């Protein structure tokens, strides 16, 4: 596949993915800011015939974005009024959304509110957290940590699950296969957060691995290889726990796919023409059996992001999930919005990568992408 | 799974499923475990020594009560317990729970306790097993409020084990109708509806749940909160269902009997609900058994975070919340018991689901 085709494919998928991200942000924004006033309705009273009742249908949002400011006695009403003005809280929902979006994409001039000294093109502005920090900078750090965690998990899962799946399928119904089937059932049923709790307690007891955080105290003064080792050791626990669940299901799928493929006609043909068994399996069967798994990669990522949220919480890993959770507790709408959209972005990018990988691996997709 | 998959083979039927469940070793165990769990939570009122809200502050964080059969002299007795007291040890700065070995309190079967209505019907105050006051029987110790963890585990199981089915009850009609309409209408309606479902599916579920939890106000009664958790779980689950139903409907609507009923002049709505959707039943069975553990895990995850079922109500996830602080688990490892139950229930549901799918979809049978 040449580079041009690949670019075309990526562009195609991006055009499809963009509305998804926008829609997710719309849904999130609606949930955070809805305030639907359907006005006063006059309805017939069901209990008293002939009479009417007036009902004011008003779905009020339980969240007040300015609640923290209003509770603070140091903040004057004028500031609250100006914040209301800036966020457009007295405006209609689409207007509010448009303002939010124009700040997020870094074009504040489009928002319709012209402030003095406002640059035309700015860095993305996702607002402030309740603690007054910049959401965008925090988001970059947190999402980076979660991404690092999940990439490690996916790489490790695939490196382990594919060989184990192939082994189980080739040695179908052997003792090893049965053992792996049992272990996979256990691995799939174990809730990640319970596993994390148990392993964390063991590690706290035995000091085998550090629990919590990304680095040890005094990380800045370490030599570079010591720093690298320190990071690795801190990642080991969350990565290990998240790998167990993914490993079990991926191994099962690989095994199932390969068993299906091994029954196919062309495998029989390959055997009949006298190819050695290892060539039949590794050159023909395994390559076909992997393709469906690549398509699943995107959905796997969705599950992984959810799973890593709980594990991040338990192990105190400074990722997107832990950040979101704390934000929910503080009803920090800016952070919740930002991480909701970010999780969708991560997912979309993951799907895109899966598509690219699939097109590299499967010639049939390649043909579809370039109809020439 | 490609969207134009043929419907799962319906030849198996209910009888075949039951036959397989009985003769498959693992499946029989799974059914037994599930029956045991459901029976235990249904009869929680009888089995639990005390009610879920019973508390005794003076024995907070007590370890499991030891049940003895031999006394200090080595003589055998009917199983008995000793009274625990909580004392603060000033040197080690921790609470100790010494027992008083002089008085034996025998376990009593069918002892009188808190009154309850069994299954909401039979008034009674008879409990399976407990000991006389002032001693108390805490098979899994007590929590920080001095409530009996074993009893709360049983009552919490009621919520954890039913919430999945309740969410499915809400999610299924939505998924069925939505997917049915999309598949039946086809064309741009189909692509628009499916785009929306895909968007919902493309948000990591826990992030969406957290977003929903943000707007659930804190001041809610426990019933309202329970209902909201059920609804938010359903809001996340229906999209995946609708996608598969749509695939099934797409292939079913090509068949001749649909054309026949169209020719008879039946309205599209009737064709869809009376002729097409009933064809998808075997899928429905599979999807129910396969998705219950997912809901169970999601509820426990959400309650574990403190955003689902909340105190004073119990659910398995929310009982685990106390184990969130690692020092708690270090000193009181029995607090992980709800995690074990979640694991057992999910494992049993997974095995059950696999077995049912094998029967209804013979293609996958070759793999096991």
């Amino acid at each position: 596949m040449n580079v041009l085709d690949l670019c075309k494919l990526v562009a195609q998928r991006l055009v499809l993915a963009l509305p998804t991200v926008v829609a997710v942000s719309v849904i999130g924004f609606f949930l955070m800011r809805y305030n639907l006033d359907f006005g006063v309705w006059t309805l017939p009273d069901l209990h008293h015939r002939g009479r009417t009742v007036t009902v004011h249908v008003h779905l009020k949002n339980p969240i007040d974005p300015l609640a923290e400011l209003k509770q603070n006695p140091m903040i004057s009403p004028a500031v609250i009024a100006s914040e209301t003005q800036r966020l457009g809280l007295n405006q209609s929902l689409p207007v509010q959304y448009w303002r939010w979006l124009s700040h997020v994409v870094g074009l504040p001039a489009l928002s319709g509110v012209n402030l003095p000294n406002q640059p035309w093109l700015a860095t993305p502005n996702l607002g402030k957290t309740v603690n007054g920090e910049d959401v965008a900078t925090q988001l970059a750090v947190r999402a980076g940590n979660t991404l690092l965690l999940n990439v490690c998990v996916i790489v490790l899962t695939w490196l382990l699950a594919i060989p184990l799946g192939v082994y189980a399928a080739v040695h179908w119904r052997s003792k090893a296969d049965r053992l792996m089937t049992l272990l996979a059932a256990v691995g799939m049923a174990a809730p990640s957060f319970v596993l994390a709790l148990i392993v964390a307690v063991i590690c706290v007891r035995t000091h085998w691995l550090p629990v919590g955080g990304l680095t040890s105290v005094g990380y800045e003064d370490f030599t570079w290889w010591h720093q690298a080792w320190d990071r690795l050791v801190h990642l080991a626990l969350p990565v290990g726990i998240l790998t167990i669940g993914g490993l079990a299901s991926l191994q099962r799928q690989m095994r199932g796919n390969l068993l299906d493929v091994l029954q196919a006609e062309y495998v029989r043909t390959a055997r009949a023409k006298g190819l050695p068994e290892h060539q039949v399996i590794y050159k023909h069967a395994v390559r076909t059996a992997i393709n469906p798994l690549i398509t699943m990669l995107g959905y796997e990522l969705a599950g992984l992001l959810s799973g890593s949220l709980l594990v991040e919480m338990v192990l105190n890993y400074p990722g997107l999930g832990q950040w979101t959770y704390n934000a929910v507790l503080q009803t920090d709408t800016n952070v919740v919005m930002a991480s909701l959209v970010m999780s969708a972005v991560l997912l979309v990018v993951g799907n895109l990568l899966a598509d690219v990988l699939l097109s590299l691996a499967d010639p049939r997709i390649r043909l579809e992408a370039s109809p020439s | 799974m490609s969207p134009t998959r043929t419907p799962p083979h319906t030849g198996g039927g209910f009888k075949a499923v039951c036959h397989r469940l009985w003769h498959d070793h693992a499946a029989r165990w799974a059914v037994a475990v599930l029956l045991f769990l459901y029976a235990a939570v249904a009869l929680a009122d009888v089995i639990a020594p005390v009610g879920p809200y019973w508390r005794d502050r003076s024995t907070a964080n007590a370890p499991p009560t030891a049940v003895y059969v031999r006394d200090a002299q080595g003589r055998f007795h009917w199983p008995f317990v000793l009274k625990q007291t909580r004392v603060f040890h000033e040197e080690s700065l921790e609470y100790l729970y010494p027992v008083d070995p002089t008085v034996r309190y025998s376990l009593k079967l069918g002892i009188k306790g808190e009154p309850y209505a069994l299954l909401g019907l039979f008034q009674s105050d008879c409990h399976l097993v407990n000991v006389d006051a002032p001693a108390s029987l805490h098979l899994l110790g007590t929590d920080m409020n001095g409530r009996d963890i074993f009893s709360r585990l049983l009552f919490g199981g009621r919520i954890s084990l039913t919430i999945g089915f309740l969410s499915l009850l809400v999610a299924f009609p939505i998924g069925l109708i939505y997917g049915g309409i999309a598949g039946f209408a086809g064309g741009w309606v189909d692509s628009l509806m499916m785009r929306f479902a895909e968007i919902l599916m493309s948000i990591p579920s826990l992030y969406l749940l957290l977003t929903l939890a943000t707007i659930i106000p804190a001041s809610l009664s426990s019933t309202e909160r329970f209902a909201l958790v059920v609804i938010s779980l359903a809001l996340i689950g229906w999209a995946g269902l609708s996608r598969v139903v749509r695939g099934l409907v797409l292939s079913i609507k090509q068949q001749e009997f649909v054309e026949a009923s169209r020719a008879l002049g039946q309205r599209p709505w009737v064709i869809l609900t009376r002729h097409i959707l009933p064809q998808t039943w075997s899928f429905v069975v599979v999807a129910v058994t396969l998705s219950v553990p997912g809901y169970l895990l999601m509820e426990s995850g959400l309650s574990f975070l403190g955003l689902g079922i909340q105190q004073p109500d119990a659910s398995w996830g929310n009982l685990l919340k106390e184990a969130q602080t690692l020092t708690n688990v270090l000193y009181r490892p029995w607090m992980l018991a709800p995690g074990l139950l979640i694991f057992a229930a999910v494992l049993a549901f997974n095995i059950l689901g696999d077995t049912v799918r094998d029967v209804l979809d013979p293609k996958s049978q070759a793999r096991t």
Side-chain angles (χ1 to χ4, degrees), chain A residues 13 68 141 174 190 201 249 255 320 325 344 350:
Chain A
R13 295 297 143 100
E68 299 270 333
V141 175
S174 68
V201 167
S249 65
R255 175 182 175 273
L320 196 61
Y325 172 69

Side-chain angles (χ1 to χ4, degrees), chain A residues 16 20 23-24 31-32 62-63 172-173 185-186 189-191 193-194 197-198 200-201 204-205 211 255-256 259-260 263 299 302 305-306 309-310 313-314 320-321 324-325 328 331 336 340 343 347, chain B residues 195-196 199-208 210-217 243 297 300-301 304-307 320-321 323-324 326 329-330 336 339-340 342-343 346-347 350 363 366-368:
Chain A
L16 283 176
T20 308
V24 169
L31 288 174
M32 293 295 145
I63 305 173
W172 185 47
R173 288 191 169 167
V186 171
F193 56 99
V194 178
L197 272 177
I198 295 172
V201 167
V204 167
R205 270 258 162 95
V211 178
R255 175 182 175 273
L259 282 178
D260 280 353
Q263 289 175 349
Y299 284 103
L305 277 174
S306 291
L309 192 151
L310 286 164
M313 265 278 311
V314 176
L320 196 61
T324 315
Y325 172 69
V328 169
T331 47
V336 174
L340 181 71
S343 67
L347 210 62
Chain B
R195 273 315 281 171
F196 181 69
I199 285 168
L200 269 191
M201 283 167 67
S202 72
I203 311 175
S205 51
L206 215 52
Y207 280 86
L208 189 57
L210 279 190
T211 310
L212 287 173
T214 320
I215 57 164
I216 294 181
R243 229 168 86 108
L297 279 175
S300 50
F304 176 70
L305 293 175
L307 300 167
L320 266 180
K321 189 175 164 27
Q324 227 178 64
L326 289 180
V329 192
L330 268 179
L336 289 174
L340 212 67
I342 297 173
F343 168 70
V346 172
L347 184 62
N350 278 348
K363 200 178 137 258
R367 296 174 178 181
T368 46

Side-chain angles (χ1 to χ4, degrees), chain B residues 125-291:
Chain B
D125 59 354
C126 181
H127 289 255
L128 183 65
V129 63
N130 203 350
V131 291
D132 284 322
S136 49
L137 180 68
H138 303 302
L139 291 172
L140 284 170
T142 58
D143 65 5
M144 57 189 281
N145 293 312
R147 294 176 295 199
D148 183 41
I149 294 182
F150 178 73
S151 303
R152 282 175 70 74
L153 210 54
L154 287 172
F155 286 102
R158 286 190 174 167
I159 288 182
S160 293
L161 288 174
T162 50
I163 210 163
F165 288 103
L166 288 177
S167 300
L168 274 172
L169 273 185
V170 181
F172 247 113
I174 306 176
L176 214 60
I177 305 268
Y178 191 90
I181 290 176
F184 194 65
W188 66 270
V189 179
D190 178 32
S191 22
L192 197 72
M193 287 173 85
M194 278 305 112
R195 273 315 281 171
F196 181 69
E198 276 165 26
I199 285 168
L200 269 191
M201 283 167 67
S202 72
I203 311 175
S205 51
L206 215 52
Y207 280 86
L208 189 57
L209 271 178
L210 279 190
T211 310
L212 287 173
T214 320
I215 57 164
I216 294 181
S219 57
L220 279 181
S221 77
S222 53
T223 329
E224 285 170 337
R225 185 163 274 279
F226 180 76
L228 276 175
V229 172
V230 168
I231 289 170
S232 15
L233 290 182
L235 278 180
I236 284 164
W238 69 266
L241 288 170
S242 74
R243 229 168 86 108
V244 190
V245 170
R246 166 193 171 263
L248 295 175
V249 171
L250 270 184
S251 67
I252 294 172
K253 81 169 180 186
Q254 306 292 337
Q255 292 179 19
E256 280 163 11
F257 72 89
V258 177
E259 216 151 294
S261 52
R262 234 191 262 262
L264 283 172
Q266 270 177 327
R267 277 164 297 153
W269 179 251
V270 178
I271 299 177
L272 180 63
T273 51
R274 301 291 281 281
H275 298 298
I276 295 185
L277 289 184
Q279 296 277 315
T280 58
W281 84 267
S282 61
F283 157 72
V284 169
V285 172
V286 175
V288 166
T289 39
L290 287 182
S291 58

Side-chain angles (χ1 to χ4, degrees), chain B residues 68 70-73 75-78 80-83 100-107 135:
Chain B
Y68 304 90
R70 295 173 75 177
D71 62 13
Q73 282 78 42
R75 280 171 307 196
F76 285 93
H77 292 277
W78 176 251
F80 64 94
V81 302
L82 301 172
K83 181 174 162 44
D100 170 18
T102 50
V103 192
R104 286 182 278 112
Y105 297 91
S106 303
L107 292 191

Side-chain angles (χ1 to χ4, degrees), chain A residues 238-288:
Chain A
V239 169
I241 288 161
L242 283 172
T243 303
I244 290 175
L247 177 65
S249 65
L250 197 67
Q251 192 261 353
R252 293 300 294 164
Q253 278 162 16
M254 184 65 207
R255 175 182 175 273
N257 286 347
L258 191 55
L259 282 178
D260 280 353
V261 172
L262 284 177
Q263 289 175 349
E265 298 275 321
Y266 69 89
V267 171
R268 200 181 302 165
T269 313
R271 276 186 185 140
K273 74 177 183 186
L275 272 186
E277 187 66 17
H278 66 90
Q279 272 203 14
V280 173
I281 291 170
Y282 297 105
K283 263 193 116 172
H284 295 275
V286 170
R287 289 177 63 176
T288 328

